[in-house]
């Protein structure tokens, strides 16, 4: 049966909710502006940022709003508050941040002296997987480095680290061998890249002959494979790291809240 034609309506068209703007609290908007300033290099790692009152004037908001934005940035390790001194941009040059994303802990709880031992550094072309992870094009140039992480002289972690060459193209093995600080400190001081967050995936693997030789374990021994993608400002992935962890006397520890 045919239906009669619909009568025209004088009502204004209803806008779809999908295209309506998403509400963001004011302090989050201020935080976003401050993160953009960090990414643009306005405040260098380790440098003091303006006072809360100066930032309040700059952004035209209350000091309380600025304080809330700074509190959240401090909780995310973007900024560091120092009692009586002010607020500073977090830096990988701070010894407390040398191995910020490392979650490996000795079974006995003792403090171990960590030392990075670079093994190789070479240029390569991005494979399908590398291009997907680092948001590159297949065939784009990348830098691939390998290093051992030793604790009190014992090899515990073997890392393969892949970096986009448009940022790290001048990185050399000699540069890494002469560095007296963490790898992320080198990235920050030499290439102006700060790692601000990371995502990790863990799985169990067996040590092949080459890996077993470098880590001082038997071929076929179980290892923990930790795949990490690390991001800088603007949520750009700038590192893909595949670490093989010898967990004979260590365990992976992460506190959840």
């Amino acid at each position: 049966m045919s239906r009669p034609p619909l009568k025209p309506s004088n009502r204004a068209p209803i806008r779809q909710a999908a295209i309506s703007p998403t509400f963001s609290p004011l302090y989050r908007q201020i935080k976003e502006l401050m993160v953009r300033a960090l990414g643009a290099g306005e405040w260098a790692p380790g440098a003091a940022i303006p006072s809360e009152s100066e930032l309040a004037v700059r952004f035209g908001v209350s000091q309380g709003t600025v304080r809330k934005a700074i509190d959240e940035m401090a909780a995310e390790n973007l900024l560091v508050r120092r009692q009586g001194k002010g607020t500073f941009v977090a830096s990988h040059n701070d010894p407390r941040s040398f191995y910020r994303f490392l979650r490996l802990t000795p079974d006995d709880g003792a403090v171990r002296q960590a030392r990075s031992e670079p093994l190789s550094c070479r240029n390569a072309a991005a494979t399908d997987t590398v291009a997907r992870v680092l948001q590159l094009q297949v065939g784009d140039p990348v830098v691939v480095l390998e290093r051992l992480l030793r604790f009190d002289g014992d090899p515990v972690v073997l890392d393969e680290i892949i970096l986009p060459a448009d940022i790290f193209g001048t990185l050399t093995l000699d540069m890494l061998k002469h560095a007296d600080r963490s790898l992320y400190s080198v990235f920050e001081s030499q290439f102006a890249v700060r790692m601000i967050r990371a995502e990790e995936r863990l799985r169990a693997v067996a040590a092949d002959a080459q890996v077993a030789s470098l880590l001082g374990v038997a071929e076929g021994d179980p290892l923990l494979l930790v795949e990490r993608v690390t991001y800088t400002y603007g949520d750009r992935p700038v590192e893909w790291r595949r670490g093989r962890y010898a967990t004979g006397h260590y365990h992976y520890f992460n506190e959840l809240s």
Side-chain angles (χ1 to χ4, degrees), residues 1 5 10-11 15 20 42 46 109 168 186 201 209 216 223-224 250:
M1 179 183 296
N10 294 325
R11 293 181 181 179
R15 295 183 178 180
S20 61
E42 180 175 346
F168 299 99
V186 174
R201 292 175 174 82
L223 301 174
L224 184 65
Y250 294 81

Side-chain angles (χ1 to χ4, degrees), residues 214-230:
L214 289 168
L215 288 177
V217 299
E219 185 176 354
D221 275 2
L223 301 174
L224 184 65
L225 173 63
V226 180
E227 294 183 292
R228 178 193 304 169
V229 182
T230 317

Side-chain angles (χ1 to χ4, degrees), residues 32 35-36 39 135 194 196-197 231-237:
E32 177 62 26
V35 170
R36 289 180 189 175
Q135 297 178 11
R194 185 166 190 278
I196 62 173
R197 75 175 188 90
Y231 298 80
T232 188
Y233 299 112
D235 220 27
R236 176 182 176 180

